[in-house]
Amino acid sequence: MAKTALITGITGQDGSYLAEFLLKKGYEVHGLIRRLSTPNLERIKHILDKIELIEGDLTDQSSILNAVKGSKPDEVYNLAAQSFVATSWNQPVLTGDVTGLGVVRIL
């Protein structure tokens, strides 16, 4: 039976490469994406038909629980983070919430 992976940050550079790698290994891949009016799916558009996207946010415990319950992953890869340097300095509490407490919420 194929393993299942949940990837947070699947739309980022590393997340998209990881998704491609795991698909080649035969994994079922689920990706957590933030709820945006216009999601940026450019990096994963070529594999959208092979993965399952789940809307959620690392600042929202219930959406993480729903993603884990829905995907039933064997493995979880947390690559989501506040990645814009200027925003990380301008919004340090948000950065800590996403990058630090997001990990705690997943665990």
Side-chain angles (χ1 to χ4, degrees):
M1 182 164 50
K3 287 189 176 183
T4 302
L6 174 62
I7 303 171
T8 69
I10 194 168
T11 59
Q13 177 181 318
D14 293 346
S16 63
Y17 287 145
L18 178 59
E20 289 174 3
F21 176 78
L22 293 175
L23 287 169
K24 288 178 185 172
K25 294 276 190 185
Y27 279 65
E28 179 181 325
V29 176
H30 298 257
L32 187 72
I33 61 168
R34 283 183 294 158
R35 297 176 197 111
L36 299 171
S37 58
T38 310
N40 183 4
L41 304 176
E42 188 64 29
R43 288 188 181 103
I44 57 170
K45 68 181 179 183
H46 62 291
I47 57 171
L48 280 174
D49 60 334
K50 298 175 184 152
I51 61 176
E52 182 74 30
L53 297 179
I54 304 167
E55 286 190 345
D57 195 298
L58 292 184
T59 64
D60 178 35
Q61 182 71 50
S62 65
S63 68
I64 295 169
L65 288 173
N66 289 335
V68 171
K69 285 180 183 177
S71 63
K72 297 184 175 95
D74 297 296
E75 301 169 7
V76 177
Y77 297 90
N78 180 34
L79 302 177
Q82 173 56 264
S83 59
F84 297 106
V85 175
T87 301
S88 70
W89 286 103
N90 292 333
Q91 298 180 1
V93 173
L94 174 64
T95 301
D97 193 17
V98 171
T99 308
L101 292 177
V103 174
V104 174
R105 290 183 189 101
I106 291 171
L107 295 174

